[in-house]
Amino acid sequence: MSRERFVELMSPALSRFGQDLKSVLRIVEDPEMDDESRVAAAGALLHVISSSGVIPGVRGVLRHLGDVLLIRLVLNDVRERSPDAFQKHLQESSEMLEPLSDELDAMRAYLDDRVSVLEQAAEKFPKMNHQGHQATACIEDTDTWLYDAVHEALIDEIDFDEEDVVRELKHVDRILAPLSSRVRG
């Protein structure tokens, strides 16, 4: 049951991943959001555009599934640290943020202790660096480097449709062994 629920919730999350990244950009740029949340969100975006997938050995849509899950963990932290500012973003991006609790529950049920691999990766986001751009600088920087880099990744890399998502999620169990190999005992 947990696998089916996970696939059910991750299918739309993967299909709208590009739009979700734009919503996360708005969080990074929001001065009403606490700086810790903004830096973590910027780090998550740097992780996505750096093409360093968190799930070793998977490619394509399943590689991005790891990114989708990481974004959910960061959004949950943002929701806890800046609930009022998060509420504003909830109204603007309800399709992404309303199912957050259900998605996290499904992720934890399906991945079990493997979720710790994702949590450990997300903890590193505030110190993330990509091509000389640090997450902390991204919230202070008035230029548009992060904005441009995310949009370039959307065009070059994150270009999959619902058919790709459905086809790849039939093989979602492929992510379990690589995550299991990284769980610290």
Side-chain angles (χ1 to χ4, degrees):
M1 180 66 164
S2 64
R3 180 189 188 279
E4 290 79 18
R5 181 71 173 145
F6 179 76
V7 169
E8 174 189 332
L9 289 167
M10 289 302 112
S11 293
L14 272 163
S15 295
R16 69 170 187 274
F17 186 48
Q19 191 60 40
D20 288 358
L21 294 179
K22 293 176 188 177
S23 296
V24 174
L25 263 175
R26 286 192 287 278
I27 288 171
V28 171
E29 297 170 346
D30 185 352
E32 293 179 26
M33 194 67 66
D34 72 287
D35 285 351
E36 189 176 349
S37 293
R38 293 174 64 208
V39 169
L45 292 173
L46 289 175
H47 170 83
V48 170
I49 63 175
S50 73
S51 297
S52 60
V54 71
I55 305 172
V58 294
R59 299 183 188 276
V61 173
L62 289 180
R63 183 192 92 63
H64 289 293
L65 175 59
D67 295 335
V68 167
L69 297 172
L70 288 169
I71 293 288
R72 269 47 195 173
L73 290 170
V74 169
L75 289 172
N76 189 51
D77 289 344
V78 169
R79 176 173 58 182
E80 290 174 5
R81 280 194 298 266
S82 290
D84 294 337
F86 186 86
Q87 193 62 33
K88 179 182 80 172
H89 289 277
L90 175 61
Q91 294 169 357
E92 294 172 2
S93 302
S94 61
E95 68 285 343
M96 174 178 75
L97 300 175
E98 280 183 1
L100 182 59
S101 293
D102 289 340
E103 290 169 345
L104 290 167
D105 290 345
M107 175 181 66
R108 292 182 194 294
Y110 178 62
L111 296 180
D112 195 32
D113 64 341
R114 298 173 195 94
V115 78
S116 66
V117 175
L118 302 172
E119 291 168 337
Q120 291 163 5
E123 288 172 6
K124 298 175 184 173
F125 287 166
K127 298 189 185 311
M128 195 72 183
N129 182 335
H130 178 66
Q131 295 180 347
H133 298 274
Q134 293 189 312
T136 53
C138 288
I139 71 165
E140 300 164 359
D141 198 354
T142 56
D143 78 26
T144 59
W145 179 86
L146 183 60
Y147 178 88
D148 292 342
V150 168
H151 281 82
E152 184 177 316
L154 291 174
I155 293 166
D156 294 344
E157 235 181 278
I158 304 167
D159 185 25
F160 40 84
D161 59 24
E162 267 185 69
E163 288 178 20
D164 295 332
V165 170
V166 169
R167 183 179 57 254
E168 291 293 317
L169 284 179
K170 288 179 183 177
H171 308 287
V172 71
D173 294 335
R174 289 181 186 167
I175 70 170
L176 298 177
L179 285 172
S180 292
S181 72
R182 293 181 129 185
V183 173
R184 294 185 183 141

